[in-house]
Amino acid sequence: MSGSEAPSQIGQRVRLYRERAGMARPVLAAQIGRSAEWLKALENGRIQRTPSLELLLRIARVLELDDLATLTGDDHAVPVTVFAGERHAALSEVQAALTDYRITPRVRAVSVDHLAERLRKAWRIRHSSPDHRSQLGVLLQGLIRDAQTAARTAEDRRAARRTLAGVYQLADFYVAYQPAPELVWMVADRAVNEGYEADDPYVIACSAWAMVQALRDSGRWEEAITLARNAIDQLTPYLDRTETPDDWHGIAGALEFEIAYVHGRRGRSGDAWRGLEQADRIAQQLGPTYRHVQTSFSQPVMAAHATTLGVELRQPGEALRAARSIDADHIVSVPRRGRHLIEVARAYINATKIQRHLRCSQNRSGPRLKLSAITALPAICSGTC
């Protein structure tokens, strides 16, 4: 990816496409949940922090842009539907499946083993298809209803509840970025509850992983850290046992990174990088071929996580070093790979801003730094670029 092609100001592109759409600034601002004054500042380049991926998605949806690269200026096409999808009929059907769980279950028996196999296939679709949300929207309707029925009628209720928790964990990926945030909380809470009902530390930890993200994105930092740490503590007694599956270590590593990411979002650099190192040690122990299906936790994704932390901490040099340490094609999950490419683009944008700041600080006759040199520097412009 060429850093020279990254735009210095996303705001200029937002204004360009807003005006092309004939949309007034207050209208766009209201639809993305920001004030008109904030949007004006973004468009005029007065907001220095690169908008988050979530905010970029909201802007792209409202402006009816199909490709996030339209806003980021990146030369890798990343369809908005990879992350956001569209509110289609399936969302209403999924919501209906989630809210009719108290109705008397159907008499038809549901095989828990068959249900678990359907769930495994759905996870494969989630990670392999660029159009995964549309496909999951169709699959989840039946999965949710059948799993909820099995949890109340199956002979092995614990196994049924473990599977139901997994269905809710998958549903979390479907409802994320959809215009129905209440469903994110619903499926995250239900997944945690089913984990506790199954009395399974691994299922609890996998469910907590989704809830930690919901708490983090709501700014409930301490609650997110406490939940993640509690889930890890429940796993810890099992992690030294030779018979413990690798996935138990994988979810522990994924939760360690979530703690690091919370610190990163709070701007606590030291805690964030120490947390990343802890998660990376687990990834190294699991080996280069390991990948946790739900969270994508793996060695390649740890490098992607490092890129994300660098972006959040306004340390583009660290972000770009991490990005260059892996081939993005080694990230198996298509949606996770797409997100990584967006984070790399954001890192280049931040690095370009630092380059511009340094150039303004130099005499016109003085030497100028190339972008390649910037990537080797520490974050020297945290709050002023």
Side-chain angles (χ1 to χ4, degrees), residues 116-380:
E117 180 59 28
R118 288 164 60 192
L119 179 59
R120 281 191 289 271
K121 290 180 178 179
W123 275 115
R124 285 198 292 271
I125 290 172
R126 193 271 158 182
H127 288 297
S128 63
S129 173
D131 193 29
H132 63 95
R133 290 190 192 279
S134 295
Q135 296 185 55
L136 288 183
V138 175
L139 295 174
L140 278 170
Q141 300 168 39
L143 271 174
I144 291 170
R145 287 191 170 92
D146 289 346
Q148 289 174 159
T149 297
R152 287 172 284 160
T153 62
E155 184 173 329
D156 188 347
R157 296 288 181 89
R158 287 189 65 194
R161 288 189 179 277
R162 282 194 291 268
T163 302
L164 177 56
V167 170
Y168 287 144
Q169 292 157 14
L170 179 63
D172 178 73
F173 282 95
Y174 174 74
V175 300
Y177 305 116
Q178 294 276 1
E182 71 281 359
L183 296 183
V184 174
W185 288 102
M186 177 186 290
V187 297
D189 179 72
R190 288 189 185 176
V192 172
N193 180 69
E194 294 302 327
Y196 279 113
E197 289 295 331
D199 194 24
D200 187 317
Y202 174 72
V203 177
I204 293 170
C206 290
S207 301
W209 181 81
M211 180 60 81
V212 167
Q213 295 184 37
L215 292 167
R216 178 198 68 217
D217 291 342
S218 298
R220 295 162 65 176
W221 314 120
E222 293 301 332
E223 291 173 81
I225 292 173
T226 298
L227 178 58
R229 184 57 59 197
N230 180 259
I232 293 171
D233 289 344
Q234 291 192 54
L235 293 171
T236 299
Y238 302 90
L239 298 182
D240 289 333
R241 302 179 185 179
T242 57
E243 69 273 15
T244 299
D246 284 347
D247 279 346
W248 289 52
H249 295 269
I251 191 59
L255 286 164
E256 290 286 2
F257 172 72
E258 288 304 317
I259 294 173
Y261 193 24
V262 171
H263 289 309
R265 291 284 290 270
R266 299 175 83 177
R268 297 184 177 180
S269 179
D271 289 335
W273 291 117
R274 280 190 292 272
L276 182 83
E277 290 173 359
Q278 175 62 27
D280 189 59
R281 280 194 288 270
I282 297 174
Q284 295 303 318
Q285 292 169 1
L286 288 169
T289 62
Y290 174 79
R291 181 177 71 91
H292 188 264
V293 171
Q294 176 192 358
T295 67
S296 290
F297 182 79
S298 59
Q299 289 185 11
V301 166
M302 280 308 304
H305 284 335
T307 302
T308 298
L309 271 191
V311 170
E312 292 292 341
L313 293 167
R314 302 284 291 165
Q315 297 176 8
E318 295 295 339
L320 293 172
R321 268 194 290 271
R324 289 168 178 160
S325 71
I326 62 162
D327 181 344
D329 289 340
H330 292 165
I331 300 175
V332 174
S333 172
V334 171
R336 185 63 185 86
R337 188 188 315 145
R339 181 176 185 124
H340 173 62
L341 293 175
I342 291 296
E343 298 291 8
V344 173
R346 293 177 66 200
Y348 273 114
I349 292 169
N350 289 343
T352 303
K353 288 179 178 179
I354 292 177
Q355 183 184 43
R356 185 177 66 245
H357 177 81
L358 290 176
R359 282 176 173 170
C360 291
S361 301
Q362 294 170 335
N363 295 327
R364 293 194 177 187
S365 60
R368 294 200 173 186
L369 295 179
K370 296 181 179 180
L371 183 60
S372 58
I374 296 296
T375 62
L377 294 174
I380 59 176

